[in-house]
Amino acid sequence: MDLGVGGDGPFLGGMGQGVDLTKDGDIIPIVTIAPNYPRKAQIAKIEGWVEIGFTITETGAVINPKVVASKPARIFDREALRAILKYKFKPKIVDGVAMTQEATQKIDFELAGDD
């Protein structure tokens, strides 16, 4: 699923593809927020991605986000971290009790169109 950010502006692609569904239980995003595209990267027409590791709390909030990898390095890290902190996930339930869970998310930064 792609989330558009304006008509010809940058967008966040591959939301479901970036969620690691191989960990314990399904990691299901409930609320996803498109990150701001760094102005310098947008002007220079730079695209990339950031993979973030984090903890999903019992309430579905994101805590302790850390950049695992990014390409190009450091250009999109800050905006990806800001965005992931606004995400909400379905909490992991074990025997009827919500538990914390480790997860990873890849956030793509792509420019829409070649205008």
Side-chain angles (χ1 to χ4, degrees):
M1 158 171 55
D2 293 333
L3 295 176
V5 181
D8 294 331
F11 70 95
L12 175 64
M15 294 298 297
Q17 299 155 5
V19 177
D20 184 355
L21 298 176
T22 62
K23 293 190 182 251
D24 298 332
D26 288 340
I27 298 170
I28 301 169
I30 296 170
V31 175
T32 58
I33 303 296
N36 291 324
Y37 210 100
R39 185 88 175 126
K40 288 181 180 180
Q42 188 174 11
I43 290 169
K45 299 186 187 271
I46 298 171
E47 296 184 332
W49 53 266
V50 179
E51 184 177 349
I52 301 172
F54 55 94
T55 302
I56 300 170
T57 68
E58 297 91 341
T59 62
V62 172
I63 60 171
N64 303 324
K66 292 187 176 29
V67 173
V68 175
S70 60
K71 186 172 182 181
R74 296 182 300 278
I75 291 180
F76 300 107
D77 293 5
R78 179 181 295 161
E79 294 303 331
L81 288 168
R82 284 183 182 166
I84 201 74
L85 284 168
K86 297 175 186 171
Y87 278 37
K88 282 290 218 184
F89 290 85
K90 182 178 178 195
K92 178 181 178 179
I93 306 294
V94 176
D95 295 328
V97 178
M99 316 232 358
T100 61
Q101 180 178 14
E102 298 302 313
T104 60
Q105 174 75 45
K106 182 179 175 190
I107 299 178
D108 294 314
F109 288 81
E110 299 173 344
L111 295 167
D114 293 322
D115 296 335

